[in-house]
Amino acid sequence: MRLHRLDVTAFGPFGASQGVDFDDLSAAGLFLLHGPTGAGKTSVLDAVCYALYGSVPGARQSGQGMSLRSDHAAVGTRTEVRLDLTVAGRRLEVTRQPPWERPKKKGVGTTVDKAQTWLREYDAGAGTWKDLSRSHQEIGEEITQLLGMSREQFCQVVLLPQGDFARFLRADAEARGKLLGRLFDTRRFADVEKRLAERRRATEAQVREGDATLLADAHRMQQAAGDAMALPELAPGEPGLAEAVLTAAAVARSTARELLAVADCRLLTAESAQAAAERDLAGARELDRLQRRFAQARERAARLAERADAHHAAQKRMERARKAEAVAPALELRDAADAEHRRAAAAEERARALLPQDLADAGAAGLAAAARRAAEELGGLDSARRAEQRLGELVEERTRLDRQERADEDVLHEAEAWLADWETTRTGLRADVDSAQEAATRAEQLAVQRDPAQRRLNAARQRDQYTADTEEAQRHALASAEHAVEARARWLDLKEQRLNGIAAELAESLTEGAPCAVCGATEHPAPARRIAGHVDREAEERALAAYQDADERRADAERRLGTVREALAAATAEAGDAPTARLAEEAAELERRYARARASASGLHTAQEELRRGEHEREQRIAAQQQAAVRAASRVGNRERLESERTALEEELTRARGNADSVAARAAQLERRATRLTEAADTARVAEDTAQRLKDADARLADAAFRAGFHTPQDAAAALLDDAAHRELQRQLDSWDLEEAAVRAVLTEADTSAAAQQPPADLAAAEHTAADAGRRLRDASSARDAAARRCAELDRLSVHAATSVRRLAPLREEHGRVARLATLAAGTSADNERRMRLESYVLAARLEQVAAAATARLQRMSSGRYTLVHSDDRTGRGRSGLGLHVVDAWTGRERDTATLSGGETFFASLALALGLADVVTDEAGGVRLDTLFIDEGFGSLDDQTLDEVLDVLDSLRERDRSVGIVSHVADLRRRIHAQLEVVKGRSGSVLRQRGTG
């Protein structure tokens, strides 16, 4: 990947459009990106990352969307980032515009435009750019696929953050694992560990569940065997549980079969005795039944004889009712005609009661004629109704004119009063606008003074803090130096004591007949002996290690003191000698004055709006005065026209109303009269018709009663039975006939008569004998069924248990295999000697590659002194970690990377970052990274080391790479000629570029 050009507009600190020609900067291999703190050096790298991935690096990810927009940008300028680059042999151009809150084109307020993205590719053959896509998702996937890296990997291997790698050098295994896991995406190996652990828990749960089921079957078998079965004292998952359960089940089944054979013999004996008792009981019951049947038949015959007279009367009543049924239709017709006539007569009486006295006795024809005359008169009032309605409209129109006149008078009076005070009001509003504008100008002037005052205050507070830190660091450095001197003296004393007693150590290794290592003699007549307080090698080495540890702490304390002193000097240069309290008071006073000015200026828009609304209202009131005068003139003619039309209509209505109050009242009178006359005529005709039908019904009823054999219609009506009475009487007759036939049949039966001649049956004795036999049979059957059920249940449970044991066998085998794999991958297995997790193992291999790639550059930067090596030493809880040590060629010792000094830590972390970039690039599929950026850290190097580091970076050109150094170190501006300077100002930062040409 090679960057060609970057263009930014209204992005970060850059208010206007700025461009970077990376081709010109990269021609020298090394170029410097410098500028004062806060100018926007890192924003250039943010723009590159945003163009590629649509987001900015690391902790600055919160700066998305509209917050990426520069505060210095003009209102109508949209934020945009455009990057021209070559990747995977393709020349591409990516343009991104974040969401933008812009002023509305129409009206007031703002609206938000959505984010926009474009991707174009340069066609070398045609010499033109070709559009590829405008989809955020498609462009993101295309860029990620071409680069072969995620945003996190890109920020780690292209925008090399030195602070991260310094922490990486000193981090523990867990922290290193998190960073390497993100870069090399080893989540799949962690997923394998997780999957194996989940599978182990699942198979273990299945085995335990199977054992629990098997044990539950054993408990059920114990219950079925009547607690005669002994259960194994084993828990689910313990070995031998299945064999113990099957053995106990076999013993229980054998015992149950023996009990079943005894129950079968007892059941056969009880069945024979019960059959004989049942036969005797059946004979006694049959004799008792026949004897009781004969006695009951004799009693029923006596009751029939007592009810013979009532039965004959019922037969006669049924015969008379059947004759009356022929008269029933005529009776129903006569009753219906009578009811209809009564209703018609009542309706006629009600209708005639509403008629005038002169028409109360008129016939139906006379009433109908009078109704027609009233209807004709009603039809003649239509014209009068319209005139009356128009007269009401005229009154409403006159009332409306009066209301308009009063409203116009109010408008005129209110407008005159308002316009009279307008000049005074306008003068006050203009004074408010002028005052708010002056406050806005004053607020702008104070805003310029706020930031410098606040920076001085912050610097003064840091100065005070660094002063205290410097004193503490001095005390700590002095104490560390004293401790190191004491430790060195202790070590030298012990070393001298050991040299004095070295003969005793050599004498311990002497063997009779073997030559002495010092003099070569084979005889050792007087070997030296250890004396009290003898110092051996181990004690000397412990003292040396204590001295080295104290000396390293002394060096750390001195480095810390130097760092704090540099920070104190920088803060003092910014804040000066002014007391912090006075600076805080000045900054607070500026803030108060600025807040008062802002508060006063905030009313500018409101005052301008009030003035504009007053001018607008003045124009409206003048227009309202003119319109009211025009309406008053037109009302005079309308009043005259309405008065003339009203007089003519009142004369016409006086004639039409007669003696009524209104035309509507006269029409209502005529309508009621016509309705009542029509109703009376109709009811009179109906009453005449129903009277004739009633007379005809009486004649037919008398004739039907005579033919049926009744003297009068009343006799026929009395003989009729309703449905319920008829059914009840017929039921009584049928019940008598059925009872008489049944009694006769029973008394003539041969077996019943023969049973009646025998002695009474002893049913109680036979039932007692049969009950005893049945009880003995039930007891035997229950015992046999219980034994059979016990055998069947034990057989079923035994088969189920055996099936469970067979099913569990492969599960147990799988659980053992998965458990071994899971513990091996998790690093808890005894077979895993280094107790290293699978993901850690993969990351360790990657770290070993990174250390090898970093060492090639670290040796050059350190003049061959330092080498980075990966270590599998166990750390924490007995597991192997991702150790990283440095080998010091001057001492031949291997030590932790945390012991490096500040400058050594920088170039070691730089070498590590470059090595990691190489390995991640190879991991991503060999994508070439022709442009790299290194962010800060060069200020901690001395001149010689800085030359060596720059030589290493310059050697990257051998792989056709260009490296951009982001730093504010002044010496680098002399050493690196290709530069991109970021210059900050009140209107935003600008970029100044100086290439090799």
Side-chain angles (χ1 to χ4, degrees):
M1 180 199 76
R2 177 177 294 279
L3 304 183
H4 298 294
R5 182 171 181 82
L6 173 68
D7 293 292
V8 296
T9 302
F11 181 86
F14 305 110
S17 296
Q18 301 293 321
V20 181
D21 188 351
F22 284 110
D23 286 337
D24 184 35
L25 291 174
S26 302
L30 282 178
F31 63 90
L32 177 65
L33 174 57
H34 68 94
T37 301
K41 300 187 297 297
T42 305
S43 295
V44 176
L45 309 186
D46 289 348
V48 173
C49 185
Y50 180 73
L52 293 175
Y53 294 95
S55 60
V56 296
R60 300 186 296 278
Q61 291 184 42
S62 59
Q64 300 297 304
M66 289 178 284
S67 61
L68 293 175
R69 179 171 176 80
S70 175
D71 295 334
H72 303 285
V75 176
T77 302
R78 179 159 190 177
T79 302
E80 181 179 276
V81 176
R82 179 182 293 110
L83 179 64
D84 180 3
L85 75 159
T86 297
V87 58
R90 298 171 61 183
R91 182 78 174 265
L92 301 175
E93 181 188 79
V94 186
T95 304
R96 291 188 186 270
Q97 294 179 348
W100 182 38
E101 184 177 3
R102 61 167 177 81
K104 292 183 178 179
K105 295 180 180 178
K106 296 182 179 179
V108 296
T110 60
T111 184
V112 177
D113 285 348
K114 296 181 179 179
Q116 301 288 332
T117 306
W118 294 270
L119 178 63
R120 300 196 304 170
E121 183 174 4
Y122 185 72
D123 188 347
T128 58
W129 289 93
K130 178 178 62 176
D131 292 334
L132 295 182
S133 176
R134 297 191 64 175
S135 169
H136 299 296
Q137 183 177 0
E138 290 180 359
I139 294 173
E141 293 175 353
E142 180 74 12
I143 294 297
T144 302
Q145 182 177 2
L146 289 174
L147 291 176
M149 291 181 287
S150 65
R151 180 180 59 81
E152 290 77 7
Q153 290 175 315
F154 177 85
C155 295
Q156 201 73 42
V157 302
V158 177
L159 312 179
L160 302 180
Q162 291 308 300
D164 288 354
F165 284 98
R167 286 191 295 272
F168 183 79
L169 277 175
R170 296 186 174 94
D172 55 15
E174 181 178 0
R176 288 197 183 108
K178 290 180 179 179
L179 175 62
L180 294 175
R182 290 197 305 270
L183 294 178
F184 294 106
D185 192 16
T186 58
R187 289 174 297 179
R188 59 188 184 277
F189 300 103
D191 290 341
V192 170
E193 296 177 25
K194 182 179 178 181
R195 175 59 180 164
L196 286 174
E198 291 174 351
R199 184 58 184 160
R200 181 188 63 184
R201 290 192 293 270
T203 54
E204 182 179 5
Q206 290 176 341
V207 170
R208 288 185 177 275
E209 182 181 357
D211 283 350
T213 302
L214 185 62
L215 198 55
D217 288 341
H219 281 285
R220 286 193 287 271
M221 283 189 285
Q222 184 186 43
Q223 293 173 358
D227 293 332
M229 173 181 170
L231 291 179
E233 297 180 355
L234 296 173
E238 294 186 18
L241 177 64
E243 292 77 6
V245 170
L246 294 180
T247 301
V251 174
R253 290 170 60 194
S254 176
T255 303
R257 289 193 181 94
E258 294 176 358
L259 294 175
L260 178 60
V262 174
D264 285 337
C265 294
R266 292 178 180 174
L267 179 60
L268 290 175
T269 302
E271 286 177 346
S272 299
Q274 196 268 345
E278 286 292 335
R279 287 194 297 271
D280 294 342
L281 177 59
R285 284 176 175 171
E286 180 63 17
L287 178 60
D288 179 70
R289 184 185 70 80
L290 292 175
Q291 289 177 345
R292 285 188 290 102
R293 178 179 176 80
F294 185 80
Q296 291 171 356
R298 294 292 296 272
E299 292 175 0
R300 290 162 64 188
R303 286 195 296 271
L304 286 175
E306 292 174 358
R307 292 186 289 120
D309 293 340
H311 176 64
H312 295 315
Q315 286 178 330
K316 292 180 180 179
R317 179 76 178 90
M318 179 62 74
E319 182 179 358
R320 186 173 176 83
R322 289 195 182 98
K323 292 179 179 180
E325 289 178 355
V327 188
L331 282 170
E332 293 176 356
L333 289 176
R334 196 270 174 191
D335 292 340
D338 182 62
E340 185 179 6
H341 177 62
R342 291 177 184 276
R343 289 193 298 272
E348 181 184 9
E349 184 178 356
R350 289 192 300 273
R352 287 184 179 276
L354 300 176
L355 297 178
Q357 190 62 33
D358 57 340
L359 295 175
D361 297 330
L367 294 174
R372 286 194 297 273
R373 289 194 298 274
E376 291 173 356
E377 186 178 356
L378 178 63
L381 293 178
D382 289 343
S383 175
R385 285 196 187 95
R386 290 191 296 272
E388 189 174 46
Q389 181 179 2
R390 175 56 184 164
L391 183 60
E393 294 174 354
L394 292 177
V395 173
E396 292 179 358
E397 190 171 353
R398 178 63 180 270
T399 302
R400 186 168 59 255
L401 289 176
D402 293 341
R403 286 197 302 270
Q404 290 177 354
E405 184 176 8
R406 289 192 297 272
D408 287 343
E409 290 176 355
D410 294 341
V411 169
L412 288 173
H413 292 157
E414 184 179 356
E416 289 174 358
W418 191 92
L419 291 173
D421 298 334
W422 165 241
E423 289 301 328
T424 302
T425 302
R426 178 167 56 184
T427 300
L429 292 176
R430 288 190 180 277
D432 293 340
V433 172
D434 295 340
S435 176
Q437 286 177 338
E438 291 176 0
T441 302
R442 190 165 58 255
E444 291 178 357
Q445 294 171 350
L446 292 173
V448 176
Q449 303 173 21
R450 288 171 64 234
D451 290 342
Q454 189 62 43
R455 286 196 299 270
R456 287 193 65 194
L457 175 59
N458 294 337
R461 288 170 177 168
Q462 291 178 349
R463 177 196 63 196
D464 296 345
Q465 180 63 42
Y466 288 145
T467 300
D469 293 345
T470 300
E471 294 174 356
E472 177 62 24
Q474 286 176 340
R475 289 193 297 271
H476 184 64
L478 180 59
S480 300
E482 292 176 353
H483 183 66
V485 170
E486 293 174 357
R488 186 173 187 278
R490 171 64 177 167
W491 166 59
L492 293 176
D493 289 344
L494 292 178
K495 184 174 183 180
E496 183 178 0
Q497 293 177 26
R498 181 171 176 269
L499 291 176
N500 292 334
I502 195 68
E505 289 188 24
L506 296 174
E508 290 179 352
S509 63
L510 294 177
T511 304
E512 192 66 30
C516 175
V518 179
C519 65
T522 57
E523 294 182 359
H524 318 294
R529 302 294 184 213
R530 288 180 182 267
I531 63 175
H534 176 77
V535 178
D536 56 9
R537 178 185 293 274
E538 183 178 355
E540 180 190 355
E541 290 179 350
R542 284 198 304 270
L544 176 59
Y547 161 62
Q548 291 173 341
D549 183 62
D551 191 57
E552 290 174 359
R553 287 197 296 270
R554 176 197 57 76
D556 290 340
E558 290 178 353
R559 287 193 296 273
R560 168 63 180 165
L561 177 58
T563 302
V564 174
R565 282 173 174 171
E566 291 177 2
L568 175 60
T572 304
E574 177 73 20
D577 298 329
T580 303
R582 181 165 62 82
L583 293 177
E585 183 178 353
E586 292 175 356
E589 178 61 25
L590 276 176
E591 287 293 334
R592 286 192 294 271
R593 292 171 57 193
Y594 176 71
R596 288 196 298 271
R598 285 289 302 272
S600 299
S602 63
L604 175 60
H605 178 73
T606 302
Q608 290 174 338
E609 286 295 316
E610 289 292 335
L611 179 60
R612 184 186 60 78
R613 284 196 295 269
E615 295 285 358
H616 181 65
E617 185 174 359
R618 173 180 174 277
E619 295 174 358
Q620 288 181 333
R621 290 186 181 274
I622 293 174
Q625 281 182 319
Q626 297 173 351
Q627 294 172 1
V630 172
R631 289 194 297 271
S634 65
R635 279 195 296 271
V636 176
N638 289 338
R639 289 180 186 276
E640 295 176 354
R641 177 181 56 79
L642 294 175
E643 186 64 25
S644 175
E645 186 177 0
R646 183 184 65 80
T647 302
L649 291 175
E650 286 181 348
E651 293 176 356
E652 179 181 356
L653 291 175
T654 301
R655 293 191 299 270
R657 283 196 297 266
N659 58 356
D661 295 336
S662 64
V663 175
R666 179 58 180 166
Q669 291 176 355
L670 292 175
E671 187 173 358
R672 286 194 300 271
R673 179 181 178 85
T675 300
R676 290 173 179 175
L677 288 172
T678 301
E679 184 178 357
D682 293 341
T683 56
R685 284 194 298 272
V686 172
E688 292 174 358
D689 294 341
T690 56
Q692 182 60 41
R693 286 196 292 273
L694 176 60
K695 183 178 180 181
D696 295 340
D698 285 337
R700 286 194 295 273
L701 176 60
D703 183 60
F706 177 76
R707 286 197 299 271
F710 294 98
H711 296 292
T712 64
Q714 290 74 17
D715 294 341
L720 280 174
L721 295 173
D722 57 18
D723 291 343
H726 186 276
R727 286 194 299 272
E728 177 61 23
L729 184 59
Q730 185 64 48
R731 186 191 63 77
Q732 293 175 2
L733 294 174
D734 293 342
S735 176
W736 172 276
D737 294 339
L738 291 174
E739 180 69 7
E740 184 183 24
V743 170
R744 189 182 303 112
V746 171
L747 293 175
T748 57
E749 291 176 353
D751 52 351
T752 304
S753 300
Q757 303 302 321
Q758 297 182 15
D762 190 357
L763 183 59
E767 288 178 346
H768 183 269
T769 302
D772 289 343
R775 184 168 55 256
R776 289 192 295 271
L777 177 60
R778 286 193 299 274
D779 292 343
S781 179
S782 297
R784 196 271 175 192
D785 290 343
R789 285 195 301 272
R790 179 178 299 173
C791 288
E793 183 67 9
L794 288 174
D795 290 342
R796 184 184 67 81
L797 292 174
S798 297
V799 172
H800 186 269
T803 303
S804 299
V805 170
R806 289 193 298 273
R807 180 179 59 81
L808 279 174
L811 284 178
R812 292 182 192 278
E813 182 180 355
E814 181 183 4
H815 170 61
R817 182 174 61 256
V818 171
R820 288 191 298 273
L821 286 175
T823 55
L824 186 64
T828 58
S829 172
D831 296 333
N832 191 332
E833 295 180 358
R834 293 190 175 275
R835 303 183 66 80
M836 185 182 293
R837 294 172 48 241
L838 177 61
E839 184 182 16
S840 299
Y841 177 78
V842 175
L843 292 177
R846 294 289 186 265
L847 183 58
E848 191 171 3
Q849 295 174 349
V850 171
T855 294
R857 297 185 175 90
L858 179 58
Q859 287 181 338
R860 291 187 59 186
M861 294 181 187
S862 63
S863 300
R865 179 178 178 182
Y866 293 121
T867 301
L868 282 176
V869 294
H870 165 252
S871 173
D872 283 337
D873 292 341
R874 296 184 179 181
T875 60
R877 295 185 299 179
R879 296 195 180 186
S880 296
L882 298 171
L884 192 63
H885 293 171
V886 61
V887 178
D888 190 342
W890 290 5
T891 63
R893 299 288 297 276
E894 179 179 318
R895 53 193 174 99
D896 193 271
T897 53
T899 63
L900 295 173
S901 64
E904 292 169 343
T905 298
F906 168 70
F907 61 68
S909 62
L910 175 60
L912 184 65
L914 294 174
L916 185 61
D918 292 339
V919 176
V920 172
T921 300
D922 296 338
E923 178 75 9
V927 177
R928 286 184 55 83
L929 300 178
D930 299 321
T931 305
L932 299 176
F933 294 91
I934 301 174
D935 192 357
E936 289 298 345
F938 291 88
S940 61
L941 303 180
D942 56 46
D943 292 342
Q944 180 181 353
T945 306
L946 180 60
D947 289 336
E948 294 171 347
V949 170
L950 292 179
D951 289 342
V952 171
L953 294 178
D954 190 58
S955 68
L956 294 177
R957 287 187 297 176
E958 299 173 0
R959 300 180 62 178
D960 197 21
R961 283 182 175 177
S962 62
V963 178
I965 298 176
V966 183
S967 178
H968 54 68
V969 176
D971 192 39
L972 289 176
R973 288 177 235 167
R974 178 179 55 81
R975 297 169 182 262
I976 302 176
H977 300 288
Q979 298 178 10
L980 176 64
E981 182 181 6
V982 184
V983 182
K984 66 178 179 179
R986 292 184 178 180
S987 59
S989 298
V990 296
L991 297 174
R992 295 176 182 173
Q993 181 172 333
R994 185 178 71 184
T996 58

